[in-house]
Amino acid sequence: MVVTLYYIIVMGPAGSGKSTLTHALSSWIEDHEMSVTRVNFDPAADSTPYTPDVDVRSYINVKDVMSKYGLGPNGALIAAVDMLVNHISDIKNEIESFNDNYVIVDMPGQLEIVAFRRVGPLLINYLTEGRKSVALFLIDSYLTLSPLSTISMLLLSISTMLRMGKPQIIALTKADLLSSEQEVRLINMFDEEFRCDDLIESRDIVDIELALRLCETVKESTIDVIPTSAVSGKGLDEIYAAVQRVLGYGEDYLTEEPSGKL
Ligand SMILES: Nc1nc2c(ncn2[C@@H]2O[C@H](COP(=O)(O)OP(=O)(O)OP(=O)(O)O)[C@@H](O)[C@H]2O)c(=O)[nH]1
Ligand SMILES: [Mg+2]
């Protein structure tokens, strides 16, 4: 069988659960007899819940950059991500040498550095060039319990999608921490039934017209929103199905011969 590398770029704000989901999703993929390369793309990561197959820290480490150039953590992360440009070709070669079915790239949480500066999209475009790729944008479920907070997070996801130029799936993480009542509220937020007009009841909104327009925009632009838990495994099969829909054009490794590389 010809193995095609599919890239899943895991993005989201700090602490949204990227590394934990990278671990859970890669195990899920292996449990389904497909192979996966785990890439830690965070030069500032202290530790990861999975063992990276490819690790940008072996090329550039933020702690070294801090001490060498006398920078603080944010400045050093900006410099480190810039410096990755010099190594991206080697990183790509290292990833491709595994020749696995999927590559999961666990990104840093500082979106202002990895998505909104020029170099982040440049690195990811280089990495995924010639391959099918999808961004998986994570939002902490807890931040989607109020309509305004949800709209803010979805706007962030849309801004990130515009910067990265990739199709995007949204996963709501840590669903296991919600009570059943909260879970119902959360799912209803993304339901067809949810009406932006309900926002008018909120007293905290400075500009209600703007809030309503943004609400309509995010409602129209948000396609796949999947509640997940890395603890219980909830939503992992839905993420896989959504990735297939976006990337696979009907092609599905689950219905193909296993890679035999596990
Ligand atoms: N209960 C629960 N906790 C989770 C889940 N996913 C992540 N966490 C916890 O949330 C915290 C942050 O998770 P990480 O995976 O490190 O988040 P991250 O997005 O990689 O964080 P940064 O790389 O620092 O931006 C950790 O304490 C995780 O154990 C989940 O599905 N359920
Ligand atoms: Mg992380």
Side-chain angles (χ1 to χ4, degrees):
M1 158 190 154
V2 178
V3 175
T4 307
L5 297 182
Y6 286 174
Y7 279 79
I8 303 173
I9 314 295
V10 184
M11 305 196 69
S16 52
K18 297 176 291 298
S19 302
T20 311
L21 194 71
T22 296
H23 181 45
L25 187 60
S26 51
S27 302
W28 188 99
I29 288 173
E30 286 182 341
D31 288 347
H32 289 78
E33 298 190 36
M34 295 166 286
S35 60
V36 59
T37 307
R38 299 158 174 85
V39 181
N40 170 47
F41 210 80
D42 184 354
D46 246 352
S47 62
T48 52
Y50 54 91
T51 306
D53 301 299
V54 177
D55 193 337
V56 296
R57 290 174 300 180
S58 58
Y59 295 85
I60 301 284
N61 193 304
V62 159
K63 286 202 179 97
D64 299 341
V65 175
M66 281 172 77
S67 57
K68 189 168 176 194
Y69 299 100
L71 294 168
N74 288 327
L77 182 59
I78 291 174
V81 172
D82 284 353
M83 287 174 197
L84 282 176
V85 170
N86 299 323
H87 301 281
I88 194 67
S89 169
D90 292 336
I91 294 169
K92 184 174 170 113
N93 287 340
E94 197 187 339
I95 293 172
E96 303 241 337
S97 71
F98 284 89
N99 208 25
D100 283 323
N101 299 135
Y102 284 89
V103 178
I104 304 188
V105 184
D106 176 18
M107 296 292 284
Q110 289 81 350
L111 288 172
E112 65 277 28
I113 295 173
V114 294
F116 301 136
R117 291 181 79 254
R118 194 162 160 260
V119 73
L122 204 116
L123 290 169
I124 294 303
N125 282 343
Y126 185 91
L127 218 55
T128 58
E129 202 190 340
R131 305 292 185 189
K132 289 181 186 170
S133 59
V134 61
L136 183 60
F137 190 91
L138 306 190
I139 300 175
D140 193 320
S141 297
Y142 195 74
L143 296 175
T144 63
L145 290 175
S146 93
L148 261 192
S149 172
T150 306
I151 292 165
S152 307
M153 296 311 293
L154 292 175
L155 285 170
L156 186 61
S157 79
I158 293 170
S159 306
T160 305
M161 183 176 70
L162 290 175
R163 289 290 301 151
M164 302 308 287
K166 300 218 172 291
Q168 184 167 272
I169 297 162
I170 298 175
L172 307 180
T173 56
K174 313 181 196 179
D176 57 285
L177 296 179
L178 301 176
S179 65
S180 45
E181 190 204 28
Q182 285 174 325
E183 196 164 337
V184 169
R185 269 170 63 199
L186 170 143
I187 291 165
N188 283 345
M189 261 306 297
F190 297 99
D191 206 83
E192 284 292 300
E193 308 276 299
F194 177 78
R195 288 163 11 116
C196 289
D197 285 350
D198 295 347
L199 281 174
I200 293 170
E201 284 161 28
S202 170
R203 285 194 223 123
D204 309 327
I205 302 178
V206 179
D207 186 338
I208 188 70
E209 285 302 320
L210 177 64
L212 288 175
R213 283 207 304 277
L214 292 175
C215 180
E216 293 297 347
T217 305
V218 293
K219 232 174 117 60
E220 277 165 26
S221 336
T222 305
I223 307 156
D224 278 305
V225 178
I226 304 166
T228 61
S229 164
V231 172
S232 70
K234 177 188 173 80
L236 295 178
D237 40 1
E238 281 97 334
I239 290 180
Y240 179 78
V243 166
Q244 283 300 312
R245 272 199 303 281
V246 174
L247 293 184
Y249 306 111
E251 194 182 338
D252 188 341
Y253 282 126
L254 283 180
T255 61
E256 293 178 6
E257 287 296 306
S259 71
K261 291 188 77 248
L262 299 179

